[in-house]
Amino acid sequence: MDAQETTTATGTEAEPLDPPKSPTPKRPTLHGEFLRVVRTRPDWLYGLLCSWGFGYGFLAYIVLFTHPDLTHDPKPTVVLVVLSAIADGSLTNQLAAEPTWAADLLRGGEDPARILRVRNLMLFVCELFFVCTVVAIVARLGHSDAWIPRALPQLAVLPLAPIAIGNITSVLVPTPFMRLSCRFQAPATWLRWTIYVSIPFLLSSLSLALYWLPSKLETRYEPKVLRTVGSLKHITVTLASATHVYVTIWLVLIPLWQLGVWLVSLRLADSLARMRRHGLARLMDRHTELADSLPELSLYQSTRQLPERVREIPTDLRSELKLLSSELLEASTTLRL
């Protein structure tokens, strides 16, 4: 058939049936994600930087008003500062922090586990940089760095617990990002948003519990080890005996424990994300379309509308609860199968 026969009666060429699709994002890699985030500067990045600023401000408050010991054992101070900063939603909402980007990857057939692994490593490197800066500031203020070799391994793994559990929460209760002016106009998203805001603080408490556990183990078992060593003939109790307990608990067991929690959570989140691949993409598309359909109001204007929006909460809350319950039921049923 000639090319002229493909034209219509008016002489124009036939329109294609399917509109051109947007190009699928490149496969995520660690260095590629760093370059992409620096180039696009997504909103969650500013949230991460604000959480760091809060951590530095908390450190300044502790130093100025409580006068902690920054020379001999400043580790508890550093732990509190780090935990205050990692209470950030960017660690627990990894799949939905950039909904359009994640939806395009999931629809393009990308492995959810790879997305989570890359995001985990990128966030861990960022948080490790924050930990190192806090350690350097405390060492400079205390004029001593003798405590750093013993404390740094345990401090470095502190962000692993929120990142680990955040893998599961980002799959079970994803909260696609919206600007605050849009969020105030969409009461149907407030339930997910409340969960999204509260989870980081719960995870910081979990991290503190994981830090408290080895302290109790050291308090419980170090005296027993010293007594056992002291009861043996021709062996005297030395500082090396206590050091062996410290190294075993803090520098070996704790990093392995945190890595184990991270690997298990990543495996579970991967299984759930594979089952919910299409559901996650639909959820992010729906929230993106909702945000695009809302009028462009300033934060002040959207805040003034809150009294009217509050009346819509009961209806929207019931619909969102039904949606969440159906999603959780679908995920649990598929997991059992």
Side-chain angles (χ1 to χ4, degrees), residues 152-260:
L152 191 57
Q154 48 197 281
L155 294 174
V157 297
L158 273 180
L160 272 182
I163 292 175
I165 309 301
N167 289 329
I168 301 175
T169 58
S170 67
V171 175
L172 289 179
V173 195
T175 308
F177 176 82
M178 279 186 181
R179 292 186 179 275
L180 204 55
S181 57
C182 295
R183 185 75 69 185
F184 285 164
Q185 301 178 62
T189 66
W190 288 1
L191 178 60
R192 291 179 183 271
W193 186 40
T194 303
I195 298 174
Y196 160 74
V197 172
S198 61
I199 282 177
F201 296 97
L202 299 177
L203 293 183
S204 294
S205 302
L206 175 62
S207 298
L208 187 60
L210 293 177
Y211 183 83
W212 171 83
L213 178 61
S215 301
K216 299 300 292 184
L217 290 175
E218 185 179 19
T219 304
R220 178 179 178 85
Y221 288 105
E222 183 177 357
K224 292 184 178 181
V225 171
L226 296 181
R227 284 197 301 269
T228 302
V229 172
S231 63
L232 298 176
K233 295 181 179 179
H234 310 295
I235 297 180
T236 58
V237 179
T238 62
L239 181 61
S241 304
T243 302
H244 291 162
V245 176
Y246 183 92
V247 169
T248 302
I249 293 178
W250 287 99
L251 306 188
V252 178
L253 293 181
I254 294 310
L256 290 179
W257 164 249
Q258 299 272 14
L259 286 173

Side-chain angles (χ1 to χ4, degrees), residues 35 43 134 148 217 223 278 289 291:
L35 294 176
D43 292 286
V134 173
I148 294 180
L217 290 175
H278 300 292
E289 293 172 359

Side-chain angles (χ1 to χ4, degrees), residues 44-60 62 76-92 123 126-135 155 158-160 162-163 197 199-201 203-205 207-208:
W44 67 262
L45 177 62
Y46 295 102
L48 182 67
L49 296 177
C50 288
S51 70
W52 289 4
F54 179 82
Y56 294 134
F58 186 53
L59 174 61
I62 292 178
T77 301
V78 178
V79 168
L80 291 176
V81 171
V82 173
L83 291 181
S84 67
I86 64 177
D88 179 66
S90 59
L91 303 185
T92 60
L123 291 172
C126 294
E127 295 298 333
L128 187 60
F129 171 78
F130 172 74
V131 171
C132 291
T133 58
V134 173
V135 169
L155 294 174
L158 273 180
L160 272 182
I163 292 175
V197 172
I199 282 177
F201 296 97
L203 293 183
S204 294
S205 302
S207 298
L208 187 60

Side-chain angles (χ1 to χ4, degrees), residues 233-297:
K233 295 181 179 179
H234 310 295
I235 297 180
T236 58
V237 179
T238 62
L239 181 61
S241 304
T243 302
H244 291 162
V245 176
Y246 183 92
V247 169
T248 302
I249 293 178
W250 287 99
L251 306 188
V252 178
L253 293 181
I254 294 310
L256 290 179
W257 164 249
Q258 299 272 14
L259 286 173
V261 171
W262 176 70
L263 290 174
V264 170
S265 70
L266 184 63
R267 182 68 176 178
L268 180 58
D270 175 38
S271 302
L272 293 173
R274 287 175 185 273
M275 300 175 223
R276 300 196 57 206
R277 177 195 301 270
H278 300 292
L280 289 172
R282 288 195 302 269
L283 174 67
M284 296 176 195
D285 287 339
R286 187 169 64 250
H287 278 248
T288 302
E289 293 172 359
L290 176 61
D292 293 339
S293 65
L294 294 173
E296 295 184 2
L297 300 179

